[in-house]
Amino acid sequence: QVQFVESGGGLVQSGGSLRLSCTASGRIFDIYTMGWYRQAPGKQRELVAHITMTGSTNYADSVKGRFTISRDNAKSTVYLQMNSLETEDTAVYYCNRPLVLGSWGQGTQVTVSS
C-alpha cells in the first residue's frame, strides 16, 4: 500500500510563499498522475493541482497563476510551490493519486494570516 508523507506547511502572512513536498513510498511513483488536495475547516477536500506522469499540469481556478506543481520521479516526490498566498488558502494540504486514490497521509497545515 502506497503511503504519502507531506511536509513544508507553516504559518505565513498574506502575500507570502511556501513550498510543500510529498514523498510517496513504492517503486512505481512515476507512472501515476499525482495531485495536491486541501481541506479547509468545515469544507470538503478539494483537488487544487495535478500533474501527469509526462509533466502536464492542471490547476483549480482559485490557485491558477499562484501555485505551481512539479515532480521529481527519481525521488518519488511531488512539490507544490505556493506564491501570493491568501487567507482563503488556509487548509490542511494532502497529496494523493487522483485516478487511483491511496490512503491519505497526515497532511501539512498551511495557515495564512492577514
Side-chain angles (χ1 to χ4, degrees):
Q1 181 93 14
V2 66
Q3 292 185 322
F4 304 107
V5 179
E6 301 92 349
S7 63
L11 174 63
V12 64
Q13 287 191 325
S14 180
S17 298
L18 284 173
R19 188 191 192 209
L20 307 183
S21 300
C22 168
T23 300
S25 62
R27 298 178 296 169
I28 55 174
F29 171 86
D30 57 336
I31 72 170
Y32 289 106
T33 293
M34 291 297 301
W36 279 99
Y37 297 75
R38 68 184 181 188
Q39 186 167 20
K43 294 188 177 182
Q44 287 190 330
R45 191 171 296 172
E46 61 171 341
L47 178 65
V48 296
H50 71 260
I51 183 167
T52 69
M53 64 177 184
T54 59
S56 296
T57 59
N58 198 27
Y59 300 91
D61 287 343
S62 58
V63 307
K64 199 171 294 183
R66 300 188 298 120
F67 290 10
T68 302
I69 188 171
S70 61
R71 65 192 297 164
D72 185 337
N73 290 336
K75 297 181 179 180
S76 296
T77 299
V78 60
Y79 304 98
L80 187 67
Q81 178 67 43
M82 306 186 297
N83 299 328
S84 302
L85 282 162
E86 304 169 352
T87 55
E88 292 79 10
D89 297 317
T90 295
V92 180
Y93 285 72
Y94 304 86
C95 71
N96 212 316
R97 302 173 306 195
L99 302 180
V100 187
L101 283 176
S103 298
W104 294 97
Q106 83 288 352
T108 186
Q109 175 71 49
V110 171
T111 303
V112 184
S113 63
S114 58

